[in-house]
Amino acid sequence: AGRADDVVAYHSASIQRPVDVVARYLFDPMTMPQWSAVLYEIERTHDLEPRLGRRLRANLKILGVRLTVEGELVDVDPEARCATVRIVPADGDGALEHRLAVEPSEDGSSIVHFWNRIDLPSWLSGTLGNGVVRRFVDHTAEFALANVKVILEHGEEDNLRRLDRMASRDLPPPQRLGPATD
């Protein structure tokens, strides 16, 4: 049972690609910045195997606030194509539990399920009402599922991988912006 200020949300989408293709794409942490509404950077790794206890660090932007977080796979069943990651800010205040499942549909497509339970960090709890936080959670899940759908249904996953390599090699790194000058 969650606390009174927890936010819980469920979303799903049908994707017209085989279940193994969808699961492989979603369980690859390096694809997350391609489709996530909040995760814009994840530590590079060559170990892409989803396994219990696996940890990764990432940078997020949530409601205009940038956070470094650490995620740990606390439940994973590759055969059932489901996993739960627990994500905590670097300071350990608050948490997000994100459960992902991919199941086959009778027509050969896939159904992707996202469940999110958020234990609000103290800096956010009491600052904003749960309605604003809930809408943000709903929006980010809907955005992510819509991105996954269009990427996979249009076969763009390899093009995005090439774009990421090209950008890291050919584009200058983003500059840090200073205070407003006007």
Side-chain angles (χ1 to χ4, degrees):
R3 297 183 341 207
D5 62 350
D6 284 357
V7 175
V8 180
Y10 165 77
H11 297 276
S12 67
S14 175
I15 299 178
Q16 301 300 313
R17 288 289 295 271
V19 69
D20 289 335
V21 170
V22 174
R24 185 173 40 255
Y25 181 75
L26 285 173
F27 282 89
D28 178 348
M30 297 299 104
T31 69
M32 291 176 190
Q34 297 169 0
W35 51 265
S36 173
V38 296
L39 189 149
Y40 64 90
E41 183 177 34
I42 192 163
E43 74 181 343
R44 296 280 179 184
T45 181
H46 297 290
D47 175 15
L48 301 178
E49 202 60 39
R51 62 181 173 353
L52 199 60
R54 178 186 184 177
R55 293 177 181 261
L56 283 173
R57 292 175 50 90
N59 289 322
L60 310 178
K61 185 174 180 187
I62 301 172
L63 297 166
V65 176
R66 293 177 188 264
L67 296 171
T68 297
V69 297
E70 184 172 286
E72 178 182 1
L73 275 174
V74 295
D75 180 38
V76 63
D77 185 342
E79 288 181 28
R81 298 175 202 88
C82 62
T84 302
V85 62
R86 180 171 170 79
I87 301 165
V88 295
D91 68 2
D93 183 25
L96 163 67
E97 284 186 10
H98 174 72
R99 180 149 181 85
L100 163 68
V102 182
E103 65 180 359
S105 184
E106 290 181 15
D107 66 0
S109 64
S110 302
I111 301 171
V112 176
H113 303 274
F114 283 179
W115 293 269
N116 292 298
R117 189 190 67 74
I118 301 172
D119 173 13
L120 297 176
S122 60
W123 60 267
L124 186 56
S125 183
T127 303
L128 294 173
N130 277 9
V132 171
V133 175
R134 172 61 187 250
R135 180 61 199 124
F136 182 77
V137 171
D138 287 343
H139 173 73
T140 58
E142 292 161 359
F143 180 90
L145 287 168
N147 283 346
V148 170
K149 182 175 182 69
V150 75
I151 290 166
L152 292 177
E153 288 184 355
H154 290 96
E156 296 287 359
E157 56 271 37
D158 289 337
N159 291 335
L160 283 167
R161 216 175 347 269
R162 280 192 293 279
L163 180 63
D164 182 53
R165 282 193 305 269
M166 180 193 77
S168 65
R169 183 187 64 234
D170 299 337
L171 296 178
Q175 294 181 359
R176 186 143 176 95
L177 302 177
T181 57
D182 54 40

